[in-house]
Amino acid sequence: MEETPLASLSLTHVHYNPNDPLSFASAWLALIPQALCVVYATLIWSSREAEVMFMFAGQMGCEALNFVLKRIVKEERPKQMLGKGYGMPSSHAQFMAFFAVYLGLFLLCRHTTASSQSPTAIPFVMRVCITFAVCVAATSVAISRIYLNYHTQRQVLAGLGAGIVCALTWYLITGYLRMYGWVDWALDLTVSKFFRIRDLVVSEDLNEAGWQRWEEKQKLKRRGDSKHLATKSD
C-alpha cells in the first residue's frame, strides 16, 4: 500500500541556508510574530488588562486585513522561494509594524498623559528605550523576509505601510472609546467584573506597583514580628 506523503505546517516551517549565519538568524526572526501571540495570550490571562486586550484585538484585525489584501492583490512570492501562498503584502512586516507603532503610541502618548498622576508609571527614558527596541525588532523582521526570499522589497514595504495605517487607525478608535466613556461602561458590565478585567496599565507600571505593594506587606510583617518579639521579651 502506498503511504500518504506528509505535509509541512507552514506556520513555523521556515526555509533558510544552513551555511549562512544571517539566513539562520533571519529564520529565527521569522518566528517573532508567533512568539508575540504567545506573549499576548499570557498577558491577557495573567493581567486581565483592557489595553492588552484592545491591542490584541487590533493585531488580529490587522492580520484579517492582510488575509483579505493578499487574496485581492494575488501577487506571487519571489521565484526563488518555493513556499505557497501570495506575497503581497508581507504578513510578517504588517504584523510587526502594527505591534511597534501601537505599542510606541501607547508608551509615548497614552501612558504619558496618565502617568503624571501615578508614582508607579513607567519612567519616560524606559518608554523611549522600549519603543526604540521594538522598532528595531520590527525592522529586522521585515528585512529578514527579503533576505530569505519570502517577499520582495515592494511586498515588505506594502506590509509595513498597511501595519502602520492599521495601528494609527486602531489607536484613534480606542482613544475615542476612552474619551467618550465606552471603556468605563464596558468595564462596569457584569461579564467584565466576572473575568476581573481592569484598566491599570495605562497609568501604572504593573511590575513596579506590585513590587511596592510587596514592600509594604513586608514592612508590615517586619513591624508585626518586632512587636511580637518585644511583647515576648517583656
Side-chain angles (χ1 to χ4, degrees):
M1 295 179 63
E2 295 184 1
E3 295 184 0
T4 303
L6 298 178
S8 172
L9 183 62
S10 60
L11 183 66
T12 57
H13 188 74
V14 184
H15 293 92
Y16 71 95
N17 181 357
N19 298 320
D20 183 358
L22 285 178
S23 182
F24 179 70
S26 297
W28 279 102
L29 287 171
L31 300 179
I32 289 181
Q34 288 89 335
L36 287 177
C37 287
V38 176
V39 172
Y40 272 125
T42 303
L43 287 176
I44 289 173
W45 177 257
S46 60
S47 71
R48 313 296 174 93
E49 280 291 328
E51 186 65 27
V52 180
M53 296 178 186
F54 278 143
M55 188 172 175
F56 182 65
Q59 190 83 72
M60 292 299 99
C62 185
E63 283 295 286
L65 176 64
N66 181 269
F67 181 86
V68 172
L69 289 176
K70 280 187 175 180
R71 280 145 188 82
I72 292 176
V73 180
K74 295 182 178 180
E75 183 173 299
E76 300 295 334
R77 295 180 183 272
K79 294 181 179 180
Q80 302 95 319
M81 175 48 58
L82 302 176
K84 299 179 182 179
Y86 299 117
M88 171 65 86
S90 167
S91 59
H92 278 70
Q94 188 169 329
F95 185 104
M96 293 303 300
F98 177 93
F99 182 83
V101 173
Y102 190 93
L103 182 61
L105 288 171
F106 167 74
L107 290 173
L108 301 180
C109 298
R110 184 167 293 166
H111 188 79
T112 301
T113 56
S115 63
S116 59
Q117 301 176 355
S118 175
T120 60
I122 304 174
F124 178 75
V125 174
M126 184 178 295
R127 295 199 297 268
V128 172
C129 291
I130 293 173
T131 301
F132 178 76
V134 173
C135 289
V136 170
T139 303
S140 301
V141 172
I143 294 174
S144 73
R145 303 308 288 170
I146 301 173
Y147 193 82
L148 292 173
N149 293 315
Y150 273 91
H151 295 282
T152 63
Q153 292 183 13
R154 190 177 68 155
Q155 292 171 351
V156 166
L157 290 174
L160 291 173
I164 291 171
V165 171
C166 284
L168 291 172
T169 303
W170 188 240
Y171 181 80
L172 292 175
I173 292 174
T174 55
Y176 173 87
L177 295 175
R178 287 184 176 281
M179 183 182 301
Y180 290 95
W182 288 102
V183 174
D184 293 333
W185 172 82
L187 292 177
D188 283 335
L189 294 176
T190 303
V191 64
S192 299
K193 294 179 179 180
F194 177 80
F195 287 106
R196 299 179 179 270
I197 299 174
R198 48 190 178 266
D199 195 29
L200 291 174
V201 74
V202 174
S203 58
E204 292 188 10
D205 178 353
L206 298 183
N207 289 328
E208 182 62 24
W211 174 254
Q212 290 189 11
R213 293 185 188 118
W214 169 252
E215 285 286 275
E216 288 296 324
K217 184 177 179 180
Q218 290 298 97
K219 288 180 181 178
L220 292 174
K221 182 180 178 181
R222 285 191 288 268
R223 289 174 187 172
D225 291 342
S226 61
K227 289 182 179 178
H228 177 72
L229 290 174
T231 302
K232 191 175 182 180
S233 60
D234 291 342

